[in-house]
Amino acid sequence: MQNTKDRVTIYQVAKAAGVSLATVSRVINKQASVTQATREKVENTIIALGYKPSGLAQALATNRTTNIGVIIPSANYVYISNLLSGITETAREKNYVLTLFSTSHNREEALAMMEKVISTHVDGVIVYDDQLLPEDIQTIASYNVPIVVLDNKVVGDNVGDIHFSYSASLRCIINEYYEKGGESPMTFLHVHNGGRLLNRCEKVFIQTNQELGKEYRVINSDDSYTRTYNEFREYFSQPENHKGFFICARDSLACAVQNAASDSGLRIPEDVEILSLVGTKYAYIVRPTLTTFHIDMHEVGKRAMYMLTDLMNHDLIDRSAHFDATYVQGQSTKKRLKEEN
Amino acid sequence: MQNTKDRVTIYQVAKAAGVSLATVSRVINKQASVTQATREKVENTIIALGYKPSGLAQALATNRTTNIGVIIPSANYVYISNLLSGITETAREKNYVLTLFSTSHNREEALAMMEKVISTHVDGVIVYDDQLLPEDIQTIASYNVPIVVLDNKVVGDNVGDIHFSYSASLRCIINEYYEKGGESPMTFLHVHNGGRLLNRCEKVFIQTNQELGKEYRVINSDDSYTRTYNEFREYFSQPENHKGFFICARDSLACAVQNAASDSGLRIPEDVEILSLVGTKYAYIVRPTLTTFHIDMHEVGKRAMYMLTDLMNHDLIDRSAHFDATYVQGQSTKKRLKEEN
DNA sequence: TTGTAAGCGTTATCAG
DNA sequence: CTGATAACGCTTACAA
């Protein structure tokens, strides 16, 4: 182990071992046609010199990088990090390395990222970003890079997609609420930049309520536990707000409402009911436990990576996968549903 | 796998624009010495052809990748994802892209990752991994790659490090506990593979207790909320265990103990007190709120990335940074300390 | 200002 | 089984 060496090249190894480049290359690529003797000779000098092949040069020559680009929003939500850990797990298993292209909530920047993705020469891409329009992603696809898209639709030869559906469960919950005598109008807690998924839920929420001819409310809230908590302390201080059913985007926001309610002396779920749309493990850690819709994002991540490797090997059969949100009954809402998910 | 087979090259652009390679290269590198006229001509054909420079080839030619390798454990703890998001934020600001090398709890694999890191030709590395020994990291350093190491010590020219210290605060807490009349022995909740940091804390815990001549306990627990919760339901069912002060590795484990205690009818903090060593935002979301030691991992991530860029520019002045854990009083322990942190 | 040509560190196709 | 040698796509002196 010598220190501060400049990079040892295959050429130096060849020279030191008294063979040609080609032979060294064959050894590092474990090709059959090398004598045991030369192979050992080369292997020894490789170790002696501390030679590591340049992935760059290899990639340039072979047109394969063993790199997967992952495009996800930078915000560090638990469900995003679950997704990432799922992708990571399978990527490691398949011997791929991940390159992270994190986007903030800004389409300009997201587009610049697209450029980078293409320049970076990844073997495949997994995209989960709300700011990108289908056509932006299409851009990547048009460069012939296999892509798996989450919660978005892209057409193309090299594309797979994974969809989430909350609509059915959500509609069901709303119906049950009124059927079982729910009285105060339901409230949907919308957050700025909550993304496509949240928007879809909101749409379903509004539509279902309208179909039932019910009053409903949509409140815009900050995507911050503390600020939302404070807003709702204020809110619950008004006697006319002492009852309600709140559908919140994320666990942390659901907790904000729930804590604000109980800290205001209201009872959960007798007075105030709370539902978290994207549940994580914190839903069953907090007290009262949260009723949530749950999709295992770790599984989603694994699935995405599996689909991508299949896509890269040109044998992805089913180009579309589907994850249904599971209803998980917690203590934050009254029990209304029979076991049926 | 011929995905990018039809990649547009600089040569094709040159030909289409009627100039030489060199000129196109100058245009994409925004070099001054190009006529406005030719520049526009080239830029137009670049757009027309949808040309994106190959980062691979550029990197090979310039010996710079604008890639930063990040080596972190795969487990998706909140504090790790906070760290990552800090790194990400600064990386994006500095126009670097991250390549993730995630390690599981296994040194063999971690070593294989080291190989990959070197092959991947990153411009710099940020390492936070408990399985890697200093000498393993030294290996990377010996390849002349700038490194910032978290919670580890590596010597070298191109190395910066960031340290966390919990010892002082922890010792202080223990002393205060007994000074203010704490009676039941303290318990340290150890988890398998908790890493160096946890081990250091345990050592301090044991040492401080021994110095004070106090009885203490160390319990090994599973790194899972549910299992730990169940274990402690069992534990708290014994009347002799109805009092205690528990120091837990993470928020989720602290919650497991806390929930088990309150679900067993014990009062917090009157009967059972709980302290979480590595606090996240969930510490103040749960009820009772958790007393924690807090280090803002997002800040740590940003700092690491700043140090790394300085290192890469050869102007890192202070090669060591230090983060002290802040004591955050929650409802899960009795208030003993004066304002002093 | 622009073009020519020599690398950068590999792989891969030939001959030998 | 092994060795030249031409790609791979780009940057960068050096010339023109």
Side-chain angles (χ1 to χ4, degrees), chain A residues 50 52-53 55 63 76 82 85 88 92 95 97-98 100 102 115-116 118-119 143-144 259 263 285 287, chain B residues 3-4 7 50 52-53 55 76 82 85 88 92 95 97-100 102 115-116 119 143 259 263 285 287:
Chain A
K52 310 276 179 214
N63 203 28
N76 67 33
N82 287 344
S85 93
T88 302
R92 191 173 46 214
N95 250 297
V97 156
L98 301 181
L100 230 51
S102 74
E115 303 270 304
K116 274 202 181 174
I118 294 164
S119 285
Y143 280 84
N144 251 334
N259 287 339
D263 293 353
I285 289 189
R287 294 303 156 87
Chain B
N3 48 48
T4 46
R7 186 177 201 105
K52 311 276 180 213
N76 68 32
N82 286 343
S85 93
T88 302
R92 191 173 44 212
N95 250 297
V97 157
L98 301 181
T99 301
L100 231 50
S102 74
E115 303 269 304
K116 273 201 182 176
S119 285
Y143 279 86
N259 287 340
D263 293 354
I285 289 188
R287 293 305 154 86

Side-chain angles (χ1 to χ4, degrees), chain B residues 20 22-23 26 33-35 38 61:
Chain B
S20 75
T23 303
R26 284 175 190 118
S33 60
V34 182
T35 322
T38 38

